[in-house]
DNA sequence: AATGTATATCGGAAATTCCCGATATACCAA
DNA sequence: TTGGTATATCGGGAATTTCCGATATACATT
């Protein structure tokens, strides 16, 4: 786990917002409820709508978060669902308390 | 407290090292012991020697860490001593657990 | 006052990040 | 197979960060 890579992933307002939105998918992405549940997280299109940036930028941001280990992705049909990796935040919290 | 500013400050290998060195000044900066104690932290020159970067770069990095609230500085004579702001790390750890 | 030392600030070249539009890939439906 | 939708990747202009050398500022000593 590369500390610098994690902090870089967190050094962007939009990426922090995405992580925050993914804490409560039902609340922040109500539109997805009709098409799919939230079992595997939220699909890129929904996140893009809320972020107000282009599809390519949001897709790239999600890859950055995933490479840092902060989110996990699941492919279902033509959709990719992203969800938080809560374990990573717990480890990061401990790491800041003990290692940094 | 600006989250993005804090994470940007932590997104650099040298700055993470400096923060880590400042956890144990006696161990990491033994040379300073003769001239001054560690009551107010470690002076810029000592940190620069260990970092192996130029004086201007290290001074700038310390300002970045200070603006993020991660270190505190004390001016004594012609020296500026920097020490960790432990409270900030505790708050950051909690913030990652609860807010992010 | 003049000189020396410690730190801060300035100006800039190179590298990286931000965010875009265009295009490629993957899957689904008719 | 053809066309439509969802996501990923590519290429790049603009902004930011990295790190440097030069210079400015602050303090101490003589």
């Amino acid at each position: 786990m590369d500390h610098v890579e994690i902090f870089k992933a967190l050094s962007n307002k939009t990426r922090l917002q995405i992580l925050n939105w993914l804490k409560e998918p039902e609340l922040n992405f109500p539109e997805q409820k009709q098409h799919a549940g939230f079992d595997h997280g939220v699909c890129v299109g929904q996140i893009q709508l809320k972020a107000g940036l282009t599809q390519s930028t949001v897709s790239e941001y999600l890859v950055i978060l995933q490479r840092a280990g902060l989110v996990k992705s699941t492919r279902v049909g033509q959709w990719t669902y992203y969800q938080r990796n809560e374990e990573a935040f717990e480890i990061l919290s401990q790491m800041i308390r003990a290692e940094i």
Side-chain angles (χ1 to χ4, degrees), chain A residues 33-90:
Chain A
K33 193 150 194 173
Q34 294 135 22
H35 314 299
F38 296 103
D39 298 350
H40 304 97
V42 182
C43 69
V44 181
Q46 291 296 317
I47 298 170
Q48 189 214 329
L49 278 179
K50 204 162 171 74
L53 296 176
T54 62
Q55 186 272 323
S56 62
T57 297
V58 172
S59 177
E60 191 183 336
Y61 280 7
L62 289 166
V63 169
I64 289 171
L65 291 172
Q66 184 170 36
R67 275 205 289 258
L70 299 170
V71 301
K72 300 179 282 190
S73 73
T74 311
R75 182 97 198 198
V76 178
Q78 38 193 339
W79 291 274
T80 306
Y81 296 94
Y82 284 92
Q83 60 187 316
R84 288 165 59 95
N85 179 11
E86 293 296 351
E87 194 188 356
F89 291 93
E90 187 57 37

Side-chain angles (χ1 to χ4, degrees), chain A residues 10-51:
Chain A
L10 294 170
S11 296
N12 176 279
K13 191 166 186 170
T14 301
R15 290 196 294 267
L16 287 181
Q17 284 182 320
I18 291 172
L19 289 172
N20 202 50
W21 293 335
L22 290 178
K23 289 187 84 166
E24 296 182 295
E26 300 84 351
L27 188 70
N28 293 301
F29 304 96
E31 208 177 317
Q32 179 172 303
K33 193 150 194 173
Q34 294 135 22
H35 314 299
F38 296 103
D39 298 350
H40 304 97
V42 182
C43 69
V44 181
Q46 291 296 317
I47 298 170
Q48 189 214 329
L49 278 179
K50 204 162 171 74

